[in-house]
């Protein structure tokens, strides 16, 4: 149908506006509390103090996003460049970020996906050049067995938030995981 295709973006925009109104109403009825310290929070469920104390990525390898003391590319990526052109990590994987992601993956705290997605979008916004702006966000899929165990794909939830914040399309249907692999906690680098 040509009408559905023509107005697809307008419909998405209307859904975002409705969601923002519901969020505003909920904020009045049930104020945000910081998920880390339980203080009063504004907007993303983190108080200003906890947000400032997060281990923000300062300098990182542009190929793998691991923290670097200096330079643009780590020795490992210089020796064997990865296939991707760039990689970003907003936060260093240490306390409390590691606890937030563990809660998301294993304790069914899906609110952490929205929080981490909003933090990632805020980090990416000034770093994405207009000429290199992505067309869509594609999350890494879970295998069907892991998806049924967990009940959701945490990467898809984070990607949907990033896409929403950056006004991009999230496409979780592009990739499919066929092999059931070991959990990341059992793997090395």
């Amino acid at each position: 149908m040509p009408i559905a295709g023509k107005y697809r973006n307008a419909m998405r925009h209307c859904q975002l506006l409705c969601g923002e109104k519901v969020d505003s109403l909920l904020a009045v009825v049930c104020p945000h509390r910081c998920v880390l310290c339980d203080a009063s929070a504004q907007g993303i469920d983190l108080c200003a103090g906890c947000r400032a104390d997060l281990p923000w990525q300062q300098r990182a390898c542009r190929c793998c996003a691991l923290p670097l003391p200096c330079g643009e590319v780590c020795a490992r990526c210089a020796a064997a460049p990865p296939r991707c052109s760039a990689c970003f990590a907003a936060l260093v994987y240490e306390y409390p970020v590691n606890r937030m992601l563990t809660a998301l993956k294993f304790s069914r705290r899906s609110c952490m996906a929205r929080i981490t997605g909003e933090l990632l979008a805020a980090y990416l916004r000034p770093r994405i050049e207009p000429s290199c702006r992505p067309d869509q966000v594609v999350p890494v899929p879970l295998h069907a067995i892991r998806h049924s165990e967990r009940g959701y794909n945490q990467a898809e939830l984070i990607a949907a938030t990033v896409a929403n914040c950056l006004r991009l399309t999230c496409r979780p249907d592009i990739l499919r995981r066929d092999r059931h692999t070991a959990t990341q906690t059992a793997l090395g680098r």
Side-chain angles (χ1 to χ4, degrees):
M1 242 195 259
I3 292 177
K6 182 177 179 183
Y7 296 105
R8 184 179 302 138
N9 288 336
M11 193 165 70
R12 182 176 161 269
H13 181 69
C14 291
Q15 290 170 346
L16 292 174
L17 288 176
C18 292
E20 290 169 1
K21 289 179 182 176
V22 169
D23 285 348
S24 297
L25 179 62
L26 284 174
V28 171
V29 176
C30 184
H32 291 283
R33 305 298 298 176
C34 179
V35 297
L36 298 177
C37 72
D38 201 36
S40 179
Q42 296 293 322
I44 68 165
D45 298 319
L46 286 177
C47 69
C50 286
R51 184 178 171 129
D53 287 344
L54 288 172
W56 292 96
Q57 186 74 276
Q58 299 301 317
R59 178 184 295 274
C61 174
R62 65 177 162 82
C63 297
C64 69
L66 286 177
L68 284 179
C70 61
E72 288 189 19
V73 179
C74 70
R76 185 173 285 184
C77 290
R83 293 183 186 181
C84 64
S85 59
C87 185
F88 297 97
L91 301 160
V92 178
Y93 189 74
E94 61 185 40
Y95 183 83
V97 176
N98 56 355
R99 300 291 169 85
M100 292 168 66
L101 295 177
T102 299
L104 168 62
K105 290 174 74 171
F106 305 113
S107 299
R108 300 193 188 284
R109 300 270 319 267
S110 58
C111 68
M112 296 298 182
R114 182 175 48 82
I115 295 166
T116 55
E118 289 174 351
L119 292 170
L120 179 56
Y123 180 83
L124 290 174
R125 191 172 285 115
R127 288 166 175 79
I128 296 175
E129 296 179 28
S131 62
C132 297
R133 187 171 169 78
D135 297 322
Q136 52 200 359
V137 178
V138 181
V140 175
L142 283 178
H143 188 270
I145 293 171
R146 180 94 7 91
H147 193 280
S148 68
E149 290 170 356
R150 195 165 289 156
Y152 55 85
N153 177 357
Q154 71 282 351
E156 185 176 333
L157 297 177
I158 293 170
T161 301
V162 169
N164 185 25
C165 290
L166 298 178
R167 304 290 193 233
L168 298 169
T169 302
C170 184
R171 292 291 310 273
D173 58 324
I174 290 180
L175 300 175
R176 186 180 77 223
R177 184 178 295 255
D178 292 327
R179 287 186 316 166
H180 184 56
T181 56
T183 62
Q184 281 187 330
T185 54
L187 301 175
R189 183 177 194 253

